[in-house]
């Protein structure tokens, strides 16, 4: 890694992890948006530092191996907490190895369980060394919401393998100050409300 002072972008293999989707900025704001400044909102952990590691392209595609490598990178660069707002239904041994490697170095790993309204295990959330986070609504019930983009109802995944639940519906957070894919879906620049998703529950827990 050359000049990786701001993190790393595995998708483009460079040192500029610019968020061209919007998802990462939303999750980062939930965990750590600066508070007490009269601007926007506040994250769960006002004073934390964010290590931006990008593995998704602008529409959410990724390579599984990049996830494993980014977990190892975070652990080697002294991350205290790794927040993973994505889910896989494939149990990949090299991702499991990366999780165990980071856990062995004292890192707390947190991951979203997914939004398909099923009890099937998802990864990396279901690994023993990861805190699996489901989503709740404002009534403290399991998350359900209608996804305008995909024209279907989503519900938080669930099951005995889930560790904890956190707010996941109508979440206000940060968005990039420039145009990204989320703006094409109807979300504003700078700040907006996300309709729902366990992706937004996970950084609530990570910020704690």
């Amino acid at each position: 890694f050359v000049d990786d002072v701001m993190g790393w972008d595995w998708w483009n293999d460079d040192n500029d992890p610019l968020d061209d989707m919007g998802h990462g900025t939303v999750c980062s704001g939930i965990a750590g948006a600066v508070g007490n400044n009269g601007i926007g909102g506040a994250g769960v952990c006002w004073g934390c530092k964010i290590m931006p590691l990008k593995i998704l392209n602008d529409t959410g595609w990724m390579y599984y191996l990049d996830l494993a490598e980014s977990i190892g990178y975070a652990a080697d660069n002294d991350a205290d907490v790794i927040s993973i707002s994505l889910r896989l239904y494939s149990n990949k041994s090299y991702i499991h190895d990366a999780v165990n490697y980071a856990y062995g170095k004292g890192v707390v790993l947190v991951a979203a369980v997914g939004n398909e309204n099923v009890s099937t295990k998802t990864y990396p959330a279901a690994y023993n060394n990861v805190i699996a986070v489901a989503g709740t609504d404002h009534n403290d019930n399991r998350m359900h919401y209608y996804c305008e983009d995909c024209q279907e109802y989503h519900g938080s995944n669930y099951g005995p393998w889930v560790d904890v639940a956190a707010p996941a519906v109508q979440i206000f957070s940060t968005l990039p100050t420039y145009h990204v894919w989320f703006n094409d879906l109807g979300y504003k620049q700078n700040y907006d409300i996300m309709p729902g998703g366990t992706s937004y529950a996970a950084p609530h827990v990570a910020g704690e």
Side-chain angles (χ1 to χ4, degrees):
F1 300 97
V2 179
D3 296 330
D4 52 334
V5 294
M6 294 188 297
W8 197 257
D9 178 349
W10 273 263
W11 185 266
N12 295 300
D13 194 28
D14 63 32
N15 64 352
D16 183 10
L18 186 74
D19 182 6
D20 49 12
M21 180 184 183
H23 187 260
T25 304
V26 174
C27 295
S28 296
I30 293 167
V34 175
N36 200 31
N37 60 5
I39 302 172
V44 176
C45 179
W46 293 8
C48 65
K49 295 180 179 179
I50 302 291
M51 182 190 300
L53 304 179
K54 176 182 174 181
I55 60 173
L56 304 179
N57 72 356
D58 61 345
T59 58
W61 290 96
M62 59 166 277
Y63 294 104
Y64 289 179
L65 186 59
D66 289 346
L67 173 58
E69 290 185 354
S70 65
I71 292 171
Y73 177 98
D76 287 341
N77 284 276
D78 302 320
D80 297 311
V81 180
I82 298 175
S83 186
I84 306 169
S85 284
L86 57 82
R87 62 96 189 97
L88 312 173
Y89 282 98
S90 299
N91 181 357
K92 301 293 185 182
S93 61
Y94 48 85
I95 295 176
H96 196 186
D97 290 343
V99 163
N100 290 337
Y101 173 77
Y103 183 82
K105 298 194 76 168
V107 180
V108 175
L109 296 103
V110 178
V113 302
N115 310 319
E116 289 76 38
N117 199 33
V118 297
S119 60
T120 307
K121 286 184 177 181
T122 62
Y123 302 93
Y127 293 134
N128 288 335
N129 292 331
V130 178
I131 300 172
V133 185
T136 58
D137 63 18
H138 61 285
N139 292 318
D140 217 19
N141 295 320
R142 186 160 60 88
M143 178 201 82
H144 287 90
Y145 75 98
Y146 185 71
C147 175
E148 294 285 352
D149 304 325
C150 45
Q151 301 293 296
E152 62 186 17
Y153 283 95
H154 285 182
S156 174
N157 291 350
Y158 60 93
W161 54 279
V162 175
D163 297 303
V164 68
V169 177
Q170 295 293 301
I171 304 300
F172 181 84
S173 188
T174 50
L175 279 153
T177 59
Y178 48 88
H179 187 86
V180 295
W181 185 58
F182 266 29
N183 302 136
D184 295 335
L185 300 179
Y187 301 111
K188 301 173 185 176
Q189 293 183 11
N190 300 311
Y191 302 96
D192 209 341
I193 297 172
M194 299 295 109
T198 60
S199 282
Y200 311 131
H204 277 97
V205 176
E208 277 294 320

